[in-house]
Amino acid sequence: MENFSFYVPTSVSFGKGQIENLAPSIKQFGGNKVMLAYGGGSIKANGIYDEVVNELKKANIEYVDCDGIRPNPPVADVRKGIAIYRENACDFILAVGGGSTIDAAKAMAAGVCYDGDVMDLMADGKGEITAAAPLASVLTMAGTGSELDMGGVITGEVNHKKHTIMHPLLYPKFSILDPSYTFSVPEKHSMAGCFDALDHLIECYFVAGSESTDVQNMMNEGLMKSIVKNAPRVLANPEDYDARANIMWASSMALASFQFAVGKKGSNFPMHAMGHELSSLYDMTHGITLALVTPAYLELTLGKVPEYTWLFANFARNVFGVLEDDDFVAAKLGIRKVKEFTLKLNMPKNLKEAGVEEDKLEYLAEKATEWGNIGALCKIEKEEALEIYKRAYA
């Protein structure tokens, strides 16, 4: 097992009615004037906005709205939030929403403490994060795990390229996770969130060095198995509290300080790299892009790294209950189970059905690998990425 550091400073209030902890938690971290960041207004329609504002008012905490944060949050929305925060002399950011809102809030938190443009602070930028405004989240959609990690994804202006921002200062100070807040999330986004969470776990599982990380692997398998069990329950009954609770907690745990990738050789999240390009070009929902590319990625990777057949077989048996003694047969069946799971969640069956033109596949492969190979068990360069897109096309 490789050496690693592990750090998750975010405190969590999980369960029904935990919004009552909002104001005391904000005050604990010195918040007196909050910038309330949220998206297109669904939190007003479902009553969550009123619950949040009422808690702030009862505690005499001032607030100002920063609304309209879009999915796959563009940097323009981040810049708007930075301006609102500064103009109103805020001292705390509260993100109420899903991954897009929380990601945008993280970039805002870094940006308000930086003299230049916030794009400088992205992973490929020229700036450095040395300070950040305190932030917290009230989660309304499970999937990304942004409520319990230090990273975010922002859409830039050039080719709508996805950029990451990451720093320990960007961990939320606290996150409130009430599964009932996810009851009204539309089916499409609920299921996309379920697959997003599953794919985070897959990205941390199929990584070189996994032969020495039994603890990480076995804990990961348990979370994946829980998502496979509970996602169809959410689909059947959106107000199944326990199913929603298990999905919410599994998605939060999936990326908590990348706990299931620690001790391994490292991963640059290849399936996400390929999915991000679909979102950039087609503004496609993130979890859906992952559902489209993951089976094809796993299939190609298995063919390139036969020495890891055992890992694919363990995945098949321990997550999907495959009963097959031969490792290679079990591995193939496990990949088929992933594809069947995407269809069970009503994901598009292939890229063609999702509206992707075949003549765009080479462009997508080029953009996915423009900063280098993206493999985790083997090198995935443009040629391999193109093959994955082709397999996912039809």
Side-chain angles (χ1 to χ4, degrees):
M1 190 182 298
E2 302 291 316
N3 295 350
F4 62 89
S5 297
F6 184 71
Y7 174 68
V8 185
T10 305
S11 63
V12 174
S13 295
F14 189 100
K16 297 176 183 177
Q18 292 298 308
I19 198 66
E20 67 184 15
N21 291 316
L22 177 63
S25 297
I26 290 174
K27 289 187 173 182
Q28 177 187 348
F29 292 102
N32 293 293
K33 189 166 187 180
V34 172
M35 185 176 76
L36 185 56
Y38 57 97
S42 62
I43 64 169
K44 289 188 174 180
N46 60 27
I48 296 173
Y49 178 87
D50 288 339
E51 288 194 28
V52 169
V53 166
N54 287 341
E55 293 298 318
L56 297 177
K57 288 179 176 178
K58 284 192 298 184
N60 294 315
I61 296 174
E62 294 183 68
Y63 69 93
V64 59
D65 284 6
C66 174
D67 62 351
I69 297 172
R70 288 166 282 181
N72 299 310
V75 68
D77 291 357
V78 175
R79 292 183 181 129
K80 182 184 79 170
I82 291 170
I84 291 172
Y85 186 96
R86 290 172 172 168
E87 289 165 5
N88 291 275
C90 296
D91 57 16
F92 198 95
I93 299 174
L94 179 65
V96 183
S100 293
T101 298
I102 302 171
D103 282 7
K106 289 176 180 175
M108 293 172 194
V112 299
C113 297
Y114 180 69
D115 290 336
D117 184 68
V118 69
M119 286 301 294
D120 294 346
L121 302 177
M122 302 298 150
D124 54 335
K126 61 183 181 182
E128 182 181 357
I129 299 173
T130 58
L135 73 141
S137 73
V138 176
L139 188 63
T140 65
M141 184 164 65
T144 71
S146 193
E147 66 279 3
L148 213 59
D149 71 26
M150 63 176 177
V153 180
I154 302 299
T155 303
E157 294 164 320
V158 180
N159 294 326
H160 299 284
K161 185 75 177 179
K162 296 295 189 76
H163 299 263
T164 58
I165 186 167
M166 191 170 295
H167 195 276
L169 289 171
L170 302 183
Y171 276 107
K173 298 299 184 185
F174 65 88
S175 289
I176 293 176
L177 279 59
D178 184 338
S180 66
Y181 281 7
T182 66
F183 285 176
S184 61
V185 176
E187 176 187 302
K188 172 185 172 181
H189 296 294
S190 290
M191 295 302 102
C194 289
F195 197 86
D196 188 10
L198 179 66
D199 202 77
H200 290 156
L201 293 161
I202 289 173
E203 295 268 29
C204 294
Y205 189 82
F206 291 102
V207 180
S210 293
E211 54 269 35
S212 64
T213 55
D214 290 350
V215 173
Q216 294 90 317
N217 297 349
M218 293 176 183
M219 290 173 66
N220 188 332
E221 289 166 357
L223 285 177
M224 288 192 282
K225 189 172 182 180
S226 176
I227 292 171
V228 169
K229 172 185 175 182
N230 285 287
R233 291 176 57 192
V234 170
L235 184 62
N237 178 11
E239 296 191 10
D240 183 329
Y241 179 85
D242 287 331
R244 288 282 195 182
N246 279 288
I247 291 294
M248 178 175 272
W249 192 231
S251 67
S252 294
M253 287 289 97
L255 280 187
S257 202
F258 301 96
Q259 61 176 316
F260 301 120
V262 299
K264 302 188 180 187
K265 300 292 186 182
S267 172
N268 50 10
F269 279 55
M271 289 163 267
H272 276 66
M274 299 187 71
H276 284 327
E277 296 309 326
L278 290 167
S279 291
S280 295
L281 188 60
Y282 294 99
D283 199 28
M284 198 179 296
T285 299
H286 176 57
I288 292 176
T289 70
L290 298 175
L292 288 165
V293 302
T294 295
Y297 170 86
L298 293 175
E299 184 179 63
L300 180 134
T301 301
L302 174 62
K304 290 179 70 68
V305 289
E307 67 271 26
Y308 278 103
T309 299
W310 65 270
L311 184 61
F312 285 82
N314 283 357
F315 170 76
R317 294 171 183 137
N318 298 334
V319 176
F320 286 100
V322 168
L323 300 175
E324 171 59 52
D325 291 335
D326 183 274
D327 278 0
F328 182 74
V329 175
K332 296 285 285 186
L333 288 172
I335 296 170
R336 185 188 302 174
K337 290 289 186 180
V338 174
K339 181 64 177 180
E340 290 173 357
F341 184 67
T342 71
L343 300 178
K344 187 179 291 187
L345 302 188
N346 296 328
M347 301 286 105
K349 66 180 180 180
N350 52 42
L351 291 176
K352 183 177 182 180
E353 184 179 285
V356 176
E357 297 94 347
E358 191 170 11
D359 61 6
K360 293 291 195 299
L361 299 184
E362 187 164 356
Y363 169 83
L364 290 165
E366 181 177 335
K367 299 304 289 184
T369 57
E370 67 178 327
W371 291 336
N373 89 80
I374 56 172
L377 284 174
C378 60
K379 285 187 177 181
I380 302 293
E381 297 178 327
K382 179 185 174 182
E383 181 181 342
E384 289 83 11
L386 178 57
E387 176 62 25
I388 291 167
Y389 282 127
K390 286 180 177 178
R391 294 187 186 196
Y393 181 74

